[in-house]
Amino acid sequence: MPKAIVIGSGIAGLASALRIRKLGYEVDVFEKNSYPGGKLHAISQDGYRFDLGPSLFTMPQFVEEIYHLFKLDPTLYFQYSRKDTVCNYFWTDGSRFSVNADQDLFVKEAADFFDESETNIQAYLQRNRKKYELTAGIFLENSLHKLKTYLSVETIKAMLQLHSLDLMQSLNDLNTKNFRNPKIVQLFNRYATYNGSSPYQTPGIMSLIPHLEMHYGTFIPKGGMHRISMSLFELAKDQGICFHFNEKVDEIVVEDRKAKGINTLKTSYSADIVVSNMDIYPTYKHLLPGLKAPTKTLEQERSSSALIFYWGIKGTFKELDLHNIFFSDDYEEEFKAIFRDKTLSDDPTVYVNITAKYVPGDAPEGCENWFVMINAPGDYGQDWKALKEKARRLILEKLSACLKRAVEPLIVTEHVLDPVGIQENTSSYRGALYGAASNSRFAAFLRHPNFTRKVQNLYFCGGSVHPGGGIPLCLLSAKIVGDLVPDMNSNQEYA
């Protein structure tokens, strides 16, 4: 049986390991931490459970697809429920709006709340759907760096309708042209943050992102977000995949332009193929020292990072749901601070996630577990101690004002994660959540491919390579790797 090594047990690493196992390989996964999941990890503290990483779950079909590969019922490992409310939005003037998961109801309620035309909102959502349907098969589900991707009916169809993709204007420009009310513009601008970008720079094609949330819905896994990674880990063990925790990889061994295995502090391991789920930057800088790095790719602007406060709250808030957004009064200035000035805004938008609303046991009775996040720049040597103190004060002021209730006296336990900690825990360069930012119309094409022509049998998956970050895209990157790796079960000639 041929051997495969996967470096890193993040969501894409787990999914890649399973797909490669299905292709007939003996698979070993190496992880520097003592646990699987990468950013999809969790902690328990003083009776409260917190998901540390991604908090939004969409498109569960990409998770279920992996179980179906092994002809298994996904519910044996993983269960979830669909949310009736997508997100609650709050503004400092006292305005509040909830996005209904029923798209027709959302259109009706949004038209009334924002004083916009129902027809106009519906048309905007339909155009977003069209963008996704035109591009998903090209830009998301296949390698952009293989000729066969472009020799297809889907590609020709998309090229003929290139004008409808809004590549030549920013997401903010697109939204301001479609809507009069600045609040609904801000609501749709927020989707740029789903890939760590600025709505004032990322192209209008990114308006397809709300389609993923508003059409497919948002979900909450039974047991919290951590169950996504843990369920795949359990499936991987059941399929005979071997995990090596607390074993950091020092080098990918390359001989005659072929990946031959890895070296760790403990020993060396040989393999027929190697997959890196590490951020592309440290993969080249630390694991491939003898290989000339793709300088332009590695020098791309990094995506935003995050500053997250995990608060155990003594009390409950009926006006809050699973996902809650408290908007900045000057959204453009907030993104200038992050991307131009590499600092935190004086008026940050605050995201509050509360899984205890739906996951029993995530907080003591009558209490809530708050995941409180603001967008942040990556780590460029800032004084994070001072920035965290300032951010904490500003966040508490905003939340207390909007909720009309003092929040700080209710905090009984706290854990904090900043860009420095994100980089240390997950090897994400500068703590960027999604690798490179998508602040240009060519960003998708500039991402590192899932393979390299310089080294045979070496593949890449995860948020820093094509097609990008976020749980669905990480799972799609694993799917692309699975398509690239030779299938030993079909007696395909190994190359």
Side-chain angles (χ1 to χ4, degrees), residues 307-311 388 392 414-418:
L307 175 59
I308 311 171
F309 295 88
Y310 306 89
W311 289 335
K388 284 186 286 188
R392 189 179 191 275
E414 178 180 79
H415 178 71
V416 185
L417 186 60
D418 61 18

Side-chain angles (χ1 to χ4, degrees), residues 15-304:
S16 294
L18 283 159
R19 288 184 175 278
I20 292 168
R21 177 64 175 160
K22 184 61 179 176
L23 295 175
Y25 291 76
E26 180 182 318
V27 183
D28 287 76
V29 179
F30 290 81
E31 171 59 58
K32 72 166 187 173
N33 293 312
S34 60
Y35 54 84
K39 296 184 182 75
L40 263 176
H41 187 43
I43 60 167
S44 293
Q45 183 169 296
D46 300 324
Y48 295 82
R49 192 197 70 86
F50 300 98
D51 288 309
L52 290 183
S55 57
L56 176 67
F57 183 38
T58 62
M59 307 183 82
Q61 64 268 29
F62 292 142
V63 177
E64 293 180 331
E65 186 179 82
I66 297 172
Y67 297 98
H68 293 151
L69 284 176
F70 295 92
K71 297 184 174 12
L72 292 170
D73 179 358
T75 61
L76 296 175
Y77 293 84
F78 181 62
Q79 298 172 32
Y80 58 88
S81 58
R82 195 176 196 268
K83 292 285 288 88
D84 294 327
T85 300
V86 173
C87 187
N88 291 333
Y89 291 94
F90 298 77
W91 287 268
T92 56
D93 64 3
S95 302
R96 299 180 182 183
F97 180 72
S98 294
V99 174
N100 199 299
D102 183 310
Q103 191 163 297
D104 290 335
L105 278 177
F106 163 71
V107 170
K108 188 178 186 309
E109 292 168 356
D112 181 60
F113 182 86
F114 297 109
D115 191 24
E116 296 278 354
S117 159
E118 285 188 38
T119 302
N120 192 40
I121 297 174
Q122 190 67 260
Y124 176 81
L125 297 178
Q126 288 299 321
R127 289 194 294 273
N128 294 348
R129 178 174 185 165
K130 180 180 178 182
K131 288 175 188 174
Y132 178 76
E133 291 174 346
L134 280 173
T135 60
I138 308 167
F139 299 113
L140 301 181
E141 298 175 12
N142 290 286
S143 173
L144 286 177
H145 305 82
K146 290 287 187 178
L147 181 61
K148 66 178 182 180
T149 300
Y150 301 93
L151 302 177
S152 68
V153 173
E154 290 85 357
T155 304
I156 296 170
K157 184 179 179 181
M159 294 301 292
L160 291 174
Q161 300 185 63
L162 198 62
H163 63 282
S164 66
L165 300 181
D166 296 312
L167 290 166
M168 306 307 291
Q169 59 182 322
S170 72
L171 180 61
N172 177 71
D173 288 343
L174 173 68
N175 290 334
T176 53
K177 287 178 183 177
N178 277 275
F179 304 109
R180 300 188 311 274
N181 191 316
K183 284 186 171 67
I184 194 170
V185 170
Q186 191 173 32
L187 188 155
F188 282 115
N189 274 354
R190 186 180 77 85
Y191 287 94
T193 64
Y194 281 37
N195 62 7
S197 304
S198 165
Y200 304 93
Q201 295 175 269
T202 200
I205 191 175
M206 293 303 172
S207 67
L208 63 79
I209 297 177
H211 171 69
L212 308 183
E213 186 174 275
M214 294 183 173
H215 174 73
Y216 290 102
T218 59
F219 303 83
I220 176 73
K222 185 178 180 180
M225 295 293 287
H226 191 215
R227 272 305 301 164
I228 302 174
S229 54
M230 289 307 296
S231 67
L232 291 178
F233 172 58
E234 291 161 9
L235 174 62
K237 289 192 297 181
D238 288 349
Q239 296 302 321
I241 294 172
C242 182
F243 287 83
H244 305 254
F245 293 110
N246 298 307
E247 189 162 359
K248 184 175 179 288
V249 175
D250 287 334
E251 183 181 7
I252 296 172
V253 177
V254 178
E255 297 176 4
D256 299 324
R257 298 185 63 183
K258 291 183 179 180
K260 294 290 188 177
I262 61 169
N263 293 328
T264 72
L265 285 176
K266 293 182 179 180
T267 187
S268 298
Y269 300 85
S270 61
D272 296 287
I273 65 169
V274 176
V275 180
S276 176
N277 181 213
M278 281 183 64
D279 186 297
I280 198 67
Y281 191 97
T283 295
Y284 274 98
K285 293 295 184 179
H286 304 311
L287 303 188
L288 293 165
L291 188 68
K292 184 179 179 181
T295 305
K296 289 184 178 180
T297 298
L298 300 189
E299 289 180 349
Q300 287 181 85
E301 180 183 27
R302 296 293 98 184
S303 80
S304 59

